[in-house]
Amino acid sequence: MAAIAGPDVRTTPDHFASRVPAFGWLLLTAGLFLASAVLHIVASLERWVSFAGARTDGTIEDHLFDYYYPADPWENLGTTAQVFGVGLLLLALGILALARGAGPHGDRATRMLASVTATSFALTGAHALVSGVIGMPTPLQYLPVQLLLSAVGFVGLIVLGVRFVRKSWPASVACVMLLGSTLPGLMLANFTIAPEIVGYQSHDMTPFTETIVASSTAAAAVMLLIAAVVSHRIRRAPHTADVTRAV
């Protein structure tokens, strides 16, 4: 009786993923982070440039229009929530790719941690996206859920940064940069960085706070480009040495 054939490992997604070099995953991650940053800047400019001109009394700064985590009472300004939500979903995909490029080979614990961390950002992004589409906050709007998702993302990025530091220090630094996209990062930008730039502290949301947050994601993308270059040079080094010995 013929044995039942098992799955051909050559065709499994995990086997295919393992054949992609680390610098390939890092380049993909950089692209996803950069796209995320661009979308977040677009959403920010829509609020602080496009709509601010019609609200010269400062009401544009009201938390009513915050799109980072929509919660009643809330009003969506144009497509700010949708654009921001898609940006966070891309960031979540980038975190998954980052674990492939910067994590130790075959380290399932790191990939699982990256999955949990990415899920926290994906849920936050989906909440903003769906809220913008339907014109009202989803059931995820409640503060305990927001704090839980933010805590998971914040702690997850710190632990991932520690795990990446031996294999790729630029990837580790990128994780630190991504902390700007968490709730603590938003608060830091709102109460510390943005006031230094615009010259005052708002009663609610200081203008261009979200732009600063987006800049931290763009900085993470730059660090991943550096990580990709370093990884590529390390990959080429053994091959170059073999050719030299052969000559």
Side-chain angles (χ1 to χ4, degrees):
M1 182 176 181
I4 299 177
D8 187 351
V9 296
R10 293 174 298 177
T11 62
T12 60
D14 190 68
H15 180 70
F16 172 78
S18 66
R19 298 184 63 181
V20 178
F23 70 85
W25 287 109
L26 294 172
L27 283 176
L28 174 61
T29 305
L32 289 169
F33 286 173
L34 183 58
S36 174
V38 169
L39 289 177
H40 289 175
I41 290 175
V42 169
S44 176
L45 294 181
E46 186 174 6
R47 176 179 185 176
W48 299 113
V49 176
S50 300
F51 282 91
R55 298 176 183 272
T56 57
D57 57 354
T59 56
I60 191 68
E61 300 171 11
D62 196 295
H63 287 315
L64 177 70
F65 306 113
D66 291 352
Y67 55 80
Y68 181 88
Y69 207 94
D72 288 324
W74 178 69
E75 180 181 333
N76 190 25
L77 291 174
T79 59
T80 52
Q82 295 96 307
V83 174
F84 175 77
V86 173
L88 269 191
L89 292 175
L90 292 179
L91 190 149
L93 291 175
I95 293 174
L96 294 177
L98 178 59
R100 291 282 187 177
H105 181 70
D107 187 351
R108 293 186 177 181
T110 297
R111 294 180 187 175
M112 182 176 297
L113 175 61
S115 297
V116 173
T117 304
T119 298
S120 70
F121 284 97
L123 288 175
T124 303
H127 168 62
L129 173 60
V130 176
S131 296
V133 170
I134 66 178
M136 59 183 295
T138 76
L140 293 178
Q141 66 174 300
Y142 299 109
L143 183 60
V145 178
Q146 178 183 2
L147 293 177
L148 175 62
L149 292 176
S150 182
V152 170
F154 187 83
V155 175
L157 286 174
I158 292 176
V159 178
L160 284 173
V162 172
R163 297 184 74 90
F164 293 158
V165 70
R166 287 190 176 182
K167 183 177 179 181
S168 175
W169 66 264
S172 182
V173 174
C175 289
V176 176
M177 299 295 184
L178 288 180
L179 292 176
S181 297
T182 64
L183 183 59
L186 180 72
M187 295 176 64
L188 177 66
N190 182 45
F191 294 114
T192 303
I193 304 175
E196 291 295 325
I197 296 175
V198 301
Y200 71 96
Q201 167 65 57
S202 173
H203 60 287
D204 281 332
M205 183 66 75
T206 307
F208 297 102
T209 291
E210 299 95 336
T211 312
I212 296 170
V213 171
S215 299
S216 68
T217 304
V222 172
M223 294 307 303
L224 265 299
L225 288 176
I226 295 175
V229 171
V230 172
S231 177
H232 182 60
R233 295 187 65 177
I234 292 175
R235 178 182 173 86
R236 288 188 60 187
H239 175 72
T240 303
D242 291 341
V243 172
T244 303
R245 285 195 296 269
V247 174

